[in-house]
Structures are given as C-alpha cells and as structure tokens.
C-alpha cells in the first residue's frame, strides 16, 4: 500500500449507494486484516463485516448525536480489553480504511455512542469490546456530503460536490524540541520520508475534525501528545491517536528500513506541555 498517497487522498463519505461490495473484495479486506501491522500485536482483535440489514441494528447506537451514517456495510472491530486496546483498534481500523481507499471503496469512522446497546443489537456475547465501527461501501454518485459543524450541538450534512474538509498544516500540528517551539520539518525536502509521514499525519481523520493531537520532533524521536478537549471523549481521543500513529508509521516504515515503531509510554523529559495535554507515546526514528 502506498500509505502516503492513500492517506492524503482519503476523505470520509456520508452518502452511500445501495450496492454490495463483491465477495472478492471482502476477501481482500479480510486478508489485509489478517496480515496488516498492528500497534499492539498481542491484543486479540476480530473483524466483523456487516451487510445490508446492519443499519437498522446500528441505528441510534453509533454516530454523532447517535445519528447513523447509512451505508451498505459496516466494519466492526471487536477487541480483547487490554492496555492500549482502543489505540490499537484505531490503528487497525485506519489500515482497513486505507485498504478500502485503495480498492476504490468509501468509508466513514463512526463514534460509538452506546456500546452496551450495540452489543445487544448485534447479539455479541463474550468479553470482547466493540472498539471501532466504520461505515463503508460505494459512493452515491455526485452526492459527496461534507460535515458542517456550527457548534457541538449542531452538526449537519452539507451536500456539496467535492469540497474537502480543511486540515491543519505541519506548522500547526508539529513543534520542535518542546511545546510551542516552531517546527523545522516543513523545511525538509517534500520527498523525504519524514516530511511525507508528517503530511500524512495532518490528513488523518479525527472526531469532528478537531485534530486535537500535536507532535514534537525531539531529535531522533517524534513524540505524540494528545490534548483533552470538552467534545472528544476518551475513546475517540484514543482512536484519533491510533489513526495518527498508523499514518505516520505507514509512511516511514514502509518506505525505508531501520525505523523502529511506536512505544506507548511517556518520556522522562519536560516538554513544557500545557494543562490537559499528555504524551501518548513516541516514535524512535
Ligand atoms: C474516532 C472518530 C469518530 C468519528 N465519528 C464520526 C461519526 O460518528 N459520524 C460522522 O459522520 N463522522 C465521524 N467521524 C469522521 C470525522 O468527522 C472526519 O474524519 C472528519 O470530519 C475529517 O474529515 P475527513 O475524514 O473527510 O478527512 C469520526 C472520525 C473519527 C476519527
């Protein structure tokens, strides 16, 4: 997968055609799920791909203000509950989203508003948690719907052809050495892996497109910092973080060897973080 190109071209779709994904393509997605990299490989995760009757079951359980985006299919990730299982689900879910993008299939992450009800509606017994839900299928031709956010209470769909969602830039998302210090990554050659990985981070989908994460380039490390806000709950914050880690790692580790992966731990260093900000982990370059 060319993660950089897929990550920078992907967008959420919210108007899906009544068209089934072929069995071949479903198998390709399953194969990708079985072999794709994971953030925490030891955590057991299962993937369900729901079909045509799923929207009824998911209705009022997922979506902003429980408003479900109606799609032909939904991917549901069930995970053992262990340390960092939600970040891991965000990482795997975004692997699947980019695989779908590569296959010409549209998608949209869905926030989980009522997990117990969702488990009941889907008849899911057992201890695994529903860690991620992603709507997917084919785009309804000419009906690209963009999310309009007037206020936290007023989220609506604008049917507008082709308009992409505005995203933060590298200078808005990255710092050098400590919180608030202007970054130098954007001065790199745009063909360099590190530049491309950081650009892919800026294109990551996030809850309400709030893009609350910031990253600090500290010598041979990229430190991922999450900033708590009033709208994003802990689960969505962790999914956001997992998605960012996938975009970053997907570019650097697949384009050159010698990159070493994310470590989900804090660092004993004062990055002068503001209140409400915490280190999710760091990537050793
Ligand atoms: C954790 C998470 C939860 C989301 N939940 C929803 C949702 O419930 N409904 C929806 O329409 N979009 C949802 N989205 C999609 C975001 O609104 C979308 O990624 C963001 O507006 C940026 O647009 P883009 O994906 O086109 O780049 C979610 C995204 C993430 C990462």
């Amino acid at each position: 997968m060319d993660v950089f190109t897929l990550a920078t071209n992907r967008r959420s779709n919210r108007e899906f055609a009544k068209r089934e994904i072929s069995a071949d393509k479903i198998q390709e997605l399953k194969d990708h799920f079985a072999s794709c990299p994971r953030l925490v490989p030891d955590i057991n995760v299962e993937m369900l791909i729901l079909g045509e009757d799923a929207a009824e079951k998911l209705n009022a359980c997922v979506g902003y203000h429980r408003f479900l985006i109606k799609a032909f299919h939904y991917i549901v990730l069930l995970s053992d509950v262990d340390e960092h299982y939600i970040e891991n689900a965000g990482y795997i879910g975004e692997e699947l989203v980019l695989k779908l993008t590569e296959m010409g299939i549209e998608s949209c992450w869905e926030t989980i508003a009522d997990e117990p009800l969702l488990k009941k509606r889907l008849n899911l017994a057992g201890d695994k948690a529903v860690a991620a839900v992603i709507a997917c299928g084919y785009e309804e031709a000419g009906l690209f719907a963009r999310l309009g956010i007037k206020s936290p209470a007023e989220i609506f769909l604008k049917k507008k052809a082709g308009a992409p969602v505005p995203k933060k830039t590298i200078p808005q998302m990255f710092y050098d050495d400590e919180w608030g210090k202007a970054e130098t990554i954007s001065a790199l050659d745009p063909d360099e892996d590190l530049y491309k990985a950081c650009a892919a981070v800026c294109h990551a989908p996030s809850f309400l497109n709030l893009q609350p994460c910031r990253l600090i380039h500290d010598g041979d490390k990229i430190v991922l910092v999450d900033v708590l806000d009033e709208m994003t709950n802990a689960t969505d914050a962790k999914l956001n973080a997992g998605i960012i880690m996938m975009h970053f790692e997907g570019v650097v580790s697949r384009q050159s060897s010698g990159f070493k992966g994310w470590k989900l731990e804090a660092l004993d260093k004062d990055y002068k973080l503001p209140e409400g900000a915490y280190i999710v982990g760091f990537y050793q370059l």
Side-chain angles (χ1 to χ4, degrees):
M1 271 200 328
D2 174 357
V3 173
F4 173 71
T5 305
L6 294 169
T8 49
N9 289 330
R10 180 219 55 86
R11 62 185 189 183
S12 295
N13 182 66
R14 296 186 178 84
E15 292 285 346
F16 289 90
K18 288 195 176 75
R19 181 179 159 202
E20 198 171 1
I21 300 176
S22 70
D24 286 0
K25 291 210 158 145
I26 294 278
Q27 190 55 50
E28 201 176 327
L29 189 66
K30 285 183 178 170
D31 291 345
H32 188 70
F33 172 74
S35 62
C36 72
R38 277 136 207 260
L39 190 62
V40 191
D42 295 342
I43 298 180
N44 191 279
V45 181
E46 257 177 62
M47 175 177 67
L48 307 179
I49 303 175
L50 309 180
E52 202 179 356
D53 60 339
E56 212 173 296
K57 293 182 183 154
L58 266 55
N59 195 29
C61 295
V62 303
Y64 294 143
H65 298 301
R66 297 178 180 245
F67 174 76
L68 176 73
I69 300 295
K70 290 209 171 65
F72 201 98
H73 296 278
Y74 295 87
I75 293 171
V76 174
L77 292 183
L78 300 177
S79 174
D80 278 353
V81 176
D82 211 332
E83 210 182 359
H84 305 304
Y85 80 96
I86 299 172
E87 293 92 330
N88 188 47
Y91 188 103
I92 297 171
E94 190 63 4
E95 274 282 348
L96 300 170
V97 161
L98 296 189
K99 181 67 191 169
L100 289 167
T101 308
E102 188 181 54
M103 294 194 290
I105 299 170
E106 305 292 330
S107 60
C108 186
W109 279 88
E110 292 286 301
T111 186
I112 301 167
D114 192 336
E115 204 236 350
L117 181 59
L118 184 57
K119 279 187 86 171
K120 205 168 144 193
R121 293 253 193 95
L122 295 176
N123 273 328
L124 297 169
D127 294 336
K128 281 197 167 57
V130 181
V133 177
I134 299 163
C136 59
Y138 292 96
E139 184 180 0
E140 183 70 270
L143 264 186
F144 176 70
R146 178 177 160 171
L147 198 68
I149 306 168
K150 274 195 177 163
S151 73
E154 221 182 326
I155 298 161
F156 58 98
L157 289 182
K158 291 196 262 190
K159 288 178 186 167
K160 200 174 170 190
V165 172
K167 293 289 170 129
K168 291 197 163 60
T169 58
I170 291 177
Q172 290 170 321
M173 282 196 80
F174 286 80
Y175 300 123
D176 267 8
D177 305 326
E178 64 181 33
W179 188 269
K181 189 171 161 197
E183 54 76 43
T184 50
I185 291 165
S186 49
L188 295 175
D189 180 340
D191 284 333
E192 261 194 50
D193 290 347
L194 184 59
Y195 181 94
K196 287 170 102 172
C198 297
V201 162
C202 294
H203 283 271
S206 62
F207 180 82
L208 284 178
N209 199 34
L210 292 172
Q211 298 190 276
C213 292
R214 295 290 174 273
L215 299 98
I216 300 175
H217 183 202
D218 176 21
D220 61 355
K221 291 183 190 67
I222 293 286
V223 183
L224 176 59
V225 177
D226 202 358
V227 188
L228 300 172
D229 65 63
E230 281 170 9
M231 284 187 262
T232 313
N233 69 27
T235 302
D236 288 315
K238 288 173 184 174
L239 288 172
N240 282 342
I243 293 169
I244 282 187
M245 290 189 270
M246 189 274 137
H247 277 208
F248 186 86
E249 184 159 65
V251 177
V252 287
S253 71
R254 277 159 234 196
Q255 291 190 357
S256 44
S257 55
F259 286 94
K260 298 182 191 79
W262 285 101
K263 287 197 174 56
L264 297 176
E265 53 197 67
L267 284 152
D268 188 19
K269 189 165 174 181
D270 182 10
Y271 287 105
K272 303 199 165 50
L273 302 185
E275 207 181 328
Y278 67 96
I279 294 177
V280 176
F282 64 93
Y283 196 91
Q284 188 70 50
L285 293 169

